[in-house]
Amino acid sequence: MLAKTFSATLRGLEPIKIEVEVDAVRGAPKLIIIGLPSKAIDEAKERITAALINCGIRPKSKRTVINLAPANLKKSDNAVEFAIVVALLKLYGKVKIETDKAIFLGELSLDGTLKSITGALPLVIAAKEMGFESIFLPKANLNEVNIIKDIKIYPVKHLAQFIALASGKDKKAIKPAPLRTFASQKQTYPLDFADIKGQEQAKRALEICAAGGHNLIMVGPPGAGKSLLAKTFPSILPPLTEQEAIEVTKIFSIAGLTDKQGLITTRPFRSPHHTISQAGLVGGGSNLKPGEISLAHRGVLFLDEIPEFSRTALEALRQPMEDGVVTIARAAGSARYPASFTLIAAANPCPCGYFGSKQKKCRCSPLIIERYHQKLSGPVLDRIDVRLHVDAVKLKALTAKDKGKNESSVQIRKRVIKARKRQLKRYQNTPYLTNSELMSKDVKHFLKLTDSADRLLTQATTNLNLSARSYFKVIKVAQTIADLAGKDKIEAEFISEALQYR
């Protein structure tokens, strides 16, 4: 008698329902898995056999065929093992509960323990969208998924628990997990803007970037504080909303980077080394894993010494910086990941770092300086909203006694949160969350300039030979400045400040 259960797998963030069919046919006793299983899934036969025996179930001495549909899709996710063993138990008459509206996820150990899986959160969300009413998954993944509503989540620690429930011996062996309400954790930061001496203009630029989600590049000599400013930047970002936390956790879950806490409630800060490959930065590999730009989704991607990164890796940032998503296409298939991040980049003015410096003489030739700057192409630079020169901090500022004049990160964050709330109100019922995400075609609809601001921008566009992309980026940065000032319209002074950052 044919037995059937359901599982699921992911291609990127795209869920695919897996139908598991099990039947006993004529032939020599053997367990066969068909439907393009990977080597890891094919090895699951031994794990499943051992797990059943250790739970007191002796596998039948029959030729048993396990089919994983759709047959044309390569299956490489071990999360399907739990669905296979449940289908076998149904074939043996050990399952008396209804399973047609349930989905099963989990990897088995030899003793029957269910091990945690990657991608649990997107799979639970997918199960709900597919119309399943309940999901059975490893208990180790519970903290990651028990925020999802409208689906019963059964955490299973051991296969014996499920057998007790399914056979009717213990109807309380596994209980649906209670729903957890979302609460953004109070984050403590090791660095605070109050401790940074000088660099008032840089602090202002970072506040604007935090409020509007704008990209920033800082150029300055070694020791000017570029890295310190970038590492302090997360302390002024607003907390993650529930929807943002789910988006971030889905990506980290696929990458296998969630911890015991499960749901990620703090904004990511990713700082890859300049030796990172293109695949490591944008994603890829045989399993189409997300890269650093997707792991920085709704957070910060900090590229220190950006000219030292490979040109191919930097050029691959073009499309994600523009669209907020990255599409990875390989021979094995394609995957699409969100990549809406704030880029904070730092660079020296030349390889030695002292071109234009008054403190130390530059040793680089004009040709070396030109080659150094050519690492960062014009199209990539054009996608960076704010460009800032960071001078070395003067001795007077370093030795001055702190009298509490420097604003703390908490004070700045309050203004940033107010500005973000204005943007959320402005873009309600749209996919936009911040000014930086606004597409050029919608700028004129949502953002209004005063007559004097419009004249100033028109004049500056002609005199500075701004590109069309730069024109709209100036408007979006000016709108963020207006949001920080609590103004609805973009005034000439806001355009003037935004132009300083081009």
Side-chain angles (χ1 to χ4, degrees):
M1 180 181 175
L2 182 73
K4 185 188 296 185
T5 57
F6 296 96
S7 188
T9 188
L10 293 167
R11 179 183 286 171
L13 279 174
E14 179 192 355
I16 299 166
K17 183 167 72 172
I18 303 294
E19 190 174 310
V20 180
E21 297 174 317
V22 179
D23 201 1
V25 297
R26 289 183 179 181
K30 192 176 183 181
L31 195 61
I32 303 168
I33 301 178
I34 60 174
L36 286 183
S38 66
K39 179 67 175 174
I41 292 180
D42 195 50
E43 289 176 348
K45 293 181 290 188
E46 309 303 328
R47 287 192 293 273
I48 289 168
T49 301
L52 286 171
I53 291 172
N54 284 317
C55 290
I57 305 292
R58 189 165 186 82
K60 305 294 183 183
S61 297
K62 294 182 178 180
R63 187 178 182 86
T64 306
V65 179
I66 300 165
N67 180 44
L68 307 178
N72 63 337
L73 177 71
K74 179 91 174 168
K75 288 85 177 177
S76 58
D77 193 347
N78 285 59
V80 75
E81 289 179 20
F82 191 20
I84 292 173
V85 78
V86 172
L88 281 169
L89 289 169
K90 286 183 72 175
L91 187 70
Y92 300 159
K94 301 292 183 180
V95 178
K96 297 179 180 179
I97 61 173
E98 179 61 52
T99 62
D100 290 344
K101 292 290 185 180
I103 195 166
F104 299 89
L105 303 169
E107 178 185 339
L108 286 169
S109 63
L110 295 178
D111 67 349
T113 303
L114 260 69
K115 294 184 177 181
S116 63
I117 59 171
T118 59
L121 182 61
L123 286 171
V124 170
I125 294 171
K128 185 179 76 169
E129 292 172 350
M130 290 175 187
F132 288 99
E133 296 175 358
S134 58
I135 183 165
F136 292 79
L137 83 176
K139 190 175 181 179
N141 290 111
L142 180 60
N143 286 341
E144 183 183 320
V145 302
N146 61 350
I147 196 170
I148 305 302
K149 304 171 185 175
D150 303 323
I151 186 169
K152 290 181 180 179
I153 300 172
Y154 291 87
V156 185
K157 189 175 182 180
H158 199 280
L159 180 59
Q161 286 180 294
F162 177 79
I163 294 172
L165 173 74
S167 63
K169 289 182 180 179
D170 186 359
K171 294 181 179 180
K172 296 182 179 179
I174 310 170
K175 295 180 181 179
L179 189 68
R180 179 161 61 107
T181 55
F182 175 77
S184 183
Q185 286 190 337
K186 188 177 181 181
Q187 182 75 3
T188 56
Y189 299 94
L191 300 170
D192 195 286
F193 272 98
D195 301 322
I196 299 177
K197 307 289 185 180
Q199 303 295 11
E200 299 306 320
Q201 186 182 15
K203 292 178 188 177
R204 169 65 175 171
L206 287 167
E207 180 181 342
I208 293 168
C209 291
H214 303 289
N215 299 320
L216 164 73
I217 183 168
M218 295 180 284
V219 180
K226 304 185 296 293
S227 298
L228 177 63
L229 286 162
K231 290 174 182 177
T232 313
F233 181 69
S235 67
I236 63 172
L237 291 173
L240 284 173
T241 64
E242 182 177 349
Q243 183 57 42
E244 287 176 328
I246 290 173
E247 289 177 18
V248 173
T249 306
K250 283 167 69 174
I251 300 167
F252 274 70
S253 179
I254 290 171
L257 297 176
T258 51
D259 53 21
K260 290 181 180 180
Q261 175 191 333
L263 194 73
I264 293 173
T265 57
T266 56
R267 292 192 183 273
F269 181 86
R270 308 294 296 183
S271 180
H273 192 261
H274 62 77
T275 55
I276 191 172
S277 65
Q278 179 181 336
L281 190 62
V282 300
S286 58
N287 294 326
L288 300 176
K289 291 290 186 182
E292 290 292 328
I293 62 172
S294 293
L295 293 171
H297 181 63
R298 300 300 179 198
V300 181
L301 178 68
F302 174 42
L303 301 184
D304 200 6
E305 304 295 344
I306 190 170
E308 300 296 339
F309 285 76
S310 71
R311 188 180 176 90
T312 54
L314 293 178
E315 290 302 311
L317 291 177
R318 285 196 201 181
Q319 180 249 342
M321 288 172 68
E322 192 78 12
D323 302 332
V325 294
V326 59
T327 303
I328 306 164
R330 298 289 185 271
S334 63
R336 185 181 172 93
Y337 291 110
S340 183
F341 56 89
T342 298
L343 173 67
I344 303 293
N348 292 325
C350 66
C352 80
Y354 294 102
F355 178 68
S357 174
K358 296 177 182 178
Q359 283 81 20
K360 206 169 182 179
K361 187 177 179 180
C362 175
R363 303 188 307 272
C364 306
S365 69
L367 181 60
I368 290 174
I369 295 172
E370 184 180 352
R371 285 178 179 171
Y372 183 74
H373 286 295
Q374 282 177 349
K375 287 276 194 79
L376 205 58
S377 69
V380 173
L381 270 175
D382 205 36
R383 286 166 168 80
I384 297 177
D385 310 50
V386 177
R387 306 174 196 176
L388 188 68
H389 182 78
V390 181
D391 290 316
V393 182
K394 294 181 180 179
L395 181 62
K396 185 178 179 181
L398 287 173
T399 57
K401 291 184 179 180
D402 186 8
K403 297 181 180 179
K405 291 183 179 180
N406 290 344
E407 278 191 305
S408 69
S409 294
V410 173
Q411 291 172 297
I412 299 172
R413 186 166 63 243
K414 286 179 180 177
R415 291 199 297 269
V416 169
I417 291 171
K418 283 184 179 178
R420 287 274 184 123
K421 285 179 178 178
R422 291 178 67 88
Q423 292 166 66
L424 288 173
K425 185 178 180 181
R426 181 185 304 121
Y427 304 130
Q428 60 183 340
N429 302 322
T430 74
Y432 307 127
L433 297 178
T434 60
N435 292 326
S436 64
E437 298 174 17
L438 194 64
M439 294 183 69
S440 299
K441 64 183 181 68
D442 293 324
V443 166
K444 294 294 185 182
H445 175 71
F446 286 103
L447 312 185
K448 306 300 179 185
L449 284 74
T450 62
D451 292 339
S452 59
D454 194 31
R455 286 194 299 270
L456 176 60
L457 180 59
T458 301
Q459 184 181 359
T461 303
T462 304
N463 294 342
L464 301 177
N465 197 25
L466 296 179
S467 67
R469 183 181 287 110
S470 294
Y471 172 85
F472 287 111
K473 283 194 177 295
V474 168
I475 296 176
K476 289 188 278 188
V477 172
Q479 181 61 64
T480 300
I481 297 169
D483 289 332
L484 286 166
K487 298 294 181 67
D488 293 325
K489 281 193 173 185
I490 301 173
E491 298 176 5
E493 61 179 294
F494 306 146
I495 290 290
S496 179
E497 184 176 358
L499 285 167
Q500 291 179 34
Y501 301 125
R502 294 305 299 175

